[in-house]
Amino acid sequence: MKSPTQTLREEHRVILRALVLVEVATARLSGGRALPDGWWEGLLEWLRAFADRNHHAKEEECLFPALAQAGVPAAGGPVGVMLEEHTEGRALIQAMAEGYVDRRGEAARRYVHLLRDHIDKENGVLLPLADAVLDSQAELLVARGFEKVEAEQGPAASIEHAEAAVERLAAALGD
Ligand SMILES: [Fe+2]
């Protein structure tokens, strides 16, 4: 079985790919060029469904409680920072859905910056910490929790589905 941190790292790779598309689309908008019909909405739905409801839920509902159980404080420290950034990310996705195009573009730029930095911290600090403190039984429980999150969200939550959806967005953008 894949370790939970390996699953999260693979999901980070797909999210980083989507962030490149956010950047390309934002550059187009600021250059006054239109995006394909429905593209921006499709992107936002992808970010909500995969980056937030699926990936961040796995961290918040499964990994962080397991870390707390293993003695890593839930408030403050790296977990507290990750939670704050998840909240900030949700607000920025909302801002990307509202208001004028230039405001959306500004929110998108901030979102890309936030998430890249966030993923760097998770890959560099939080996941190595999890590998160090979770024993194999705790890892198994987290992995089962991940399966439950995916089962609740249906087949669209799988990484294969999410990756295919990103590639369709990329193709529609001509990137
Ligand atoms: Fe993450």
Side-chain angles (χ1 to χ4, degrees), residues 8 12 15 55-56 59 86 118-119 122 127:
L8 295 174
H12 285 162
I15 294 168
H55 177 78
H56 290 162
E59 294 173 348
H86 286 178
H118 178 75
I119 286 174
E122 287 191 344
L127 300 184

Side-chain angles (χ1 to χ4, degrees), residues 45-99:
E45 186 41 39
W46 189 94
L47 293 174
R48 286 196 186 103
F50 188 71
D52 198 42
R53 280 200 298 275
N54 176 38
H55 177 78
H56 290 162
K58 282 176 178 158
E59 294 173 348
E60 292 180 8
E61 293 169 22
C62 313
L63 181 71
F64 298 169
L67 288 175
Q69 198 88 47
V72 178
V79 172
V81 174
M82 294 304 109
L83 284 169
E84 275 168 27
E85 290 177 353
H86 286 178
T87 304
E88 211 178 317
R90 281 177 196 127
L92 285 171
I93 292 178
Q94 191 55 33
M96 286 164 70
E98 293 168 347

